[in-house]
Amino acid sequence: MDTFSSNKRSAIMAAIRSKDTKPELIVRRYLWKRGYRYRKNVRGLPGTPDIVLRKYRVAIFVHGCFWHGHGDTKMPSTNSEFWRDKINRNKERDNRAKQRLKEVGWNVMTVWECQLRPAKRDATLLEIESLLNRSYLSQYRRPEAEEDYAMAAEPTMTYDKDI
């Protein structure tokens, strides 16, 4: 049973922000300190990613576990059908946005609120940085040549000793 009145619960839920959340601030501060520059909440991209690193072609979504149905989040016992439908719609919308971003050449990463708890935070932030580095390097990787790489001196070349 809910310990708050219906009006109080409504006020609490209405106060939850969609931008500049604590998990998002953790990721942004880490990236800024490491020298990565980004734009936030870019409306021109599908799904309005929370963090966009254009140089690296990476869009990062920082999701709250409850709102996006991650893991074993507890469903509210009151009006549970509404919440189940809402969270399922959020999941579908997230998947569509990620797919559209991938279709236009962006690398997409989702960081979950639970991954930014102190026990897992360092590993998660390093994983984000690893994705950025891989993405940047893949942009400049040359396509593999079908032939063997050229050698400095071709083995069939003969040299005249009189020269």
Side-chain angles (χ1 to χ4, degrees):
M1 179 162 182
D2 199 357
T3 58
F4 296 109
S5 70
S6 144
N7 290 336
K8 178 68 174 172
R9 175 60 64 193
S10 180
I12 290 170
M13 296 304 268
I16 297 172
R17 302 173 305 201
S18 64
K19 297 178 184 175
D20 299 328
T21 61
K22 186 175 179 181
E24 190 178 327
L25 291 174
I26 290 169
V27 174
R28 289 188 351 220
R29 285 181 186 136
Y30 175 80
L31 291 173
W32 190 266
K33 285 179 184 177
R34 301 289 293 172
Y36 296 99
R37 299 302 178 243
Y38 53 82
R39 292 179 60 205
K40 55 183 194 162
N41 306 312
V42 177
R43 290 179 178 247
L45 291 175
T48 311
D50 297 310
I51 301 169
V52 174
L53 296 107
R54 202 167 137 218
K55 176 179 177 180
Y56 302 90
R57 300 283 297 171
V58 172
I60 301 174
F61 291 95
V62 183
H63 287 329
C65 293
F66 172 76
W67 296 104
H68 297 271
H70 181 247
D72 297 333
T73 53
K74 184 179 182 302
M75 270 302 163
S77 58
T78 57
N79 207 3
S80 59
E81 186 176 332
F82 165 79
W83 286 108
R84 189 173 27 262
D85 291 343
K86 177 174 182 52
I87 290 171
N88 286 334
R89 285 192 312 268
N90 287 349
K91 285 180 176 182
E92 291 170 8
R93 184 190 65 223
D94 294 340
N95 289 334
R96 280 193 312 269
K98 289 174 196 173
Q99 188 59 38
R100 284 187 289 180
L101 281 167
K102 288 178 184 178
E103 287 171 2
V104 293
W106 287 86
N107 291 309
V108 181
M109 179 177 232
T110 301
V111 179
W112 294 99
E113 177 183 21
C114 63
Q115 292 176 311
L116 293 172
R117 291 192 181 125
K120 297 180 182 178
R121 183 177 299 163
D122 291 339
T124 302
L125 296 173
L126 288 173
E127 189 175 333
I128 293 170
E129 194 167 9
S130 174
L131 171 72
L132 294 175
N133 291 330
R134 284 192 318 267
S135 176
Y136 186 74
L137 291 173
S138 70
Q139 292 178 31
Y140 298 103
R141 186 173 294 140
R142 293 184 197 156
E144 295 294 326
E146 292 179 16
E147 301 174 9
D148 292 334
Y149 291 104
M151 295 177 20
E154 295 297 326
T156 58
M157 183 72 103
T158 57
Y159 295 99
D160 240 0
K161 291 185 178 181
D162 295 337
I163 298 179

